[in-house]
Amino acid sequence: MTDTINIRSDSYKKPKLRKIGVFTSGGDAPGMNAAIRAVTRTALANKLKVIGIRRGYQGMIEGDFMPLRSSDVSGIIQLGGTILKTARSKEFRTPEGRQKAWLQLQNAGIDAVVVIGGDGSFTGALTMSQEYNISFIGIPGTIDNDMYGTDYTIGYETALNSVVCAVDKIRDTAVSHGRIFIVEVMGREAGLLALNSGIACGAEVILIPESKEQHEALKRFLEKGYKSRERSGIIIVAEGDEPGGALKISEEVRRDHPELDVRVSILGHIQRGGSPTANDRINATRMGVAAIDALLDDQKSIMIGLDNGKIVQVPLNKAVKLNHSFNGELLQIQKLLNI
Ligand code: F6P
């Protein structure tokens, strides 16, 4: 469960908060720039100084900091990627790395930090806030949409639309040639992108880490459904699906059905780029404003989330430790429609 908050329109500055840091971490996601813009301008409006930390935790360790003015975040709301750049830092996972990062924050006079990223980024924030006296506020930014406590993560909708666009095109070739396409979608640990894109594209089979029984559906489709209908089909597989991604699945399909014309398409990082959708921009903006409001309210170690369209605050320890709930309803629908 999450706790709802009221966003204060009359936010006032508590004396001890003077300078905040903001950074992006982990995989980039469309809409991160919209969040940076909202964080920066809301903080400036509340007379806070803003420091952009470049290249995620690695940049924090190395003191790769830049002051952010309102003009620095102008014209970025429509851009994919992140103007602050991002990284996955191994050094930050060590106590020595975190100590270096802490010293850099102290030297720069940064009192609190807004981190825009996913699970790994929030785990780092939680660890550091427990070791040192500094507030971290998380804004969920990942195309996987797999964070506990929020219905939505920045970048997910844009990525979903990119997948749907790509698979629609692949479908044209599948139908024209009478082929089976096995399309691999991102999501190391979560199948939400695969599941929803599969529904939106009318995929014949969807393979995701959250459900093993779909492999039986694949067998049935290849043995019965496929032969009795048109000789083409789209199988969507999440990269994290057991027992393997699209290449592994294609080997098995070719071995068991040498008569089939099978192709593999791994969509890869095309899913992470591009201009954010309107919703990604709007939600990133709302979350950015809410993150600064939370800091002004003296909040520590929380993630901003969205619950049924409302801004909520979720303790970081819950956001990183609990699993995102998986709704089996869509899988049932997919089975029902693929008779
Ligand atoms: O977490 C976002 C994500 O795109 C996952 O879906 C994917 O498994 C992973 O990042 C890929 O990360 P990288 O770009 O570092 O290889």
Side-chain angles (χ1 to χ4, degrees):
M1 284 299 292
T2 53
D3 307 312
T4 49
I5 54 157
N6 294 320
I7 296 297
R8 295 186 337 213
S9 52
D10 62 336
S11 302
Y12 63 93
K13 180 170 90 73
K14 290 258 166 62
K16 63 180 181 177
L17 188 64
R18 286 182 307 269
K19 197 187 270 185
I20 65 139
V22 58
F23 71 107
T24 46
S25 168
D28 61 300
M32 280 183 161
N33 283 325
I36 294 168
R37 174 179 175 271
V39 165
T40 302
R41 290 196 171 163
T42 310
L44 293 174
N46 282 281
K47 308 271 181 284
L48 300 173
K49 290 208 166 87
V50 185
I51 299 294
I53 301 166
R54 300 174 80 246
R55 295 184 295 114
Y57 287 112
Q58 197 53 41
M60 191 185 282
I61 288 169
E62 293 167 21
D64 191 357
F65 299 160
M66 61 186 275
L68 288 176
R69 296 157 303 175
S70 184
S71 58
D72 295 316
V73 294
S74 168
I76 66 167
I77 196 167
Q78 77 282 15
L79 302 179
T82 157
I83 60 158
L84 291 176
K85 302 194 184 290
T86 186
R88 299 191 195 273
S89 171
K90 283 202 184 121
E91 195 180 353
F92 189 79
R93 295 202 194 130
T94 66
E96 296 76 23
R98 290 193 294 278
Q99 191 186 35
K100 283 188 203 164
W102 165 244
L103 289 173
Q104 295 284 8
L105 292 179
Q106 272 203 315
N107 286 342
I110 294 172
D111 307 311
V113 186
V114 176
V115 48
I116 306 163
D119 203 44
S121 311
F122 293 172
T123 303
L126 186 64
T127 310
M128 192 160 167
S129 68
Q130 284 162 350
E131 290 171 344
Y132 302 97
N133 185 25
I134 186 150
S135 302
F136 275 88
I137 305 290
I139 296 180
T142 162
I143 64 162
D144 295 344
N145 201 12
D146 59 347
M147 296 297 307
Y148 169 85
T150 183
D151 297 338
Y152 174 89
T153 61
I154 297 169
Y156 171 67
E157 193 188 76
T158 307
L160 184 58
N161 286 339
S162 297
V163 175
V164 170
C165 235
V167 176
D168 284 352
K169 288 175 181 163
I170 291 170
R171 173 80 78 179
D172 290 346
T173 302
V175 172
S176 303
H177 282 261
R179 285 178 181 163
I180 299 283
F181 268 86
I182 303 171
V183 183
E184 186 174 299
V185 169
M186 272 187 166
R188 250 192 309 239
E189 280 149 30
L192 212 63
L193 195 55
L195 179 57
N196 279 288
S197 59
I199 295 288
C201 297
E204 278 69 20
V205 183
I206 304 171
L207 303 173
I208 52 175
E210 290 87 348
S211 163
K212 302 261 176 290
E213 60 183 79
Q214 289 305 98
H215 286 269
E216 283 308 311
L218 173 60
K219 276 192 195 139
R220 281 197 303 277
F221 166 68
L222 294 171
E223 279 160 16
K224 292 195 192 125
Y226 171 75
K227 282 181 184 159
S228 64
R229 285 184 277 154
E230 300 292 317
R231 292 182 67 84
S232 74
I234 298 282
I235 297 157
I236 300 265
V237 52
E239 97 186 275
D241 180 61
E242 291 287 336
L247 287 170
K248 187 92 192 299
I249 303 286
S250 72
E251 280 167 22
E252 288 169 12
V253 173
R254 285 191 178 113
R255 185 195 59 212
D256 297 343
H257 295 274
E259 76 282 8
L260 299 183
D261 194 3
V262 179
R263 292 289 186 279
V264 169
S265 186
I266 298 175
L267 298 186
H269 289 80
I270 196 171
Q271 297 160 90
R272 286 239 294 260
S275 184
T277 60
N279 267 332
D280 270 332
R281 299 178 199 192
I282 293 164
N283 289 329
T285 301
R286 290 178 70 199
M287 287 178 169
V289 172
I292 296 301
D293 263 326
L295 279 178
L296 293 165
D297 270 341
D298 266 350
Q299 293 291 343
K300 196 178 173 203
S301 304
I302 56 147
M303 176 189 81
I304 301 297
L306 273 179
D307 185 0
N308 281 318
K310 282 210 172 108
I311 290 283
V312 292
Q313 297 182 348
V314 185
L316 266 188
N317 60 351
K318 282 192 177 176
V320 300
K321 290 214 181 85
L322 299 176
N323 288 330
H324 184 271
S325 62
F326 178 73
N327 180 357
E329 185 199 342
L330 278 180
L331 264 188
Q332 295 306 324
I333 289 175
Q334 198 267 342
K335 272 191 223 159
L336 179 74
L337 299 187
N338 274 295
I339 44 175

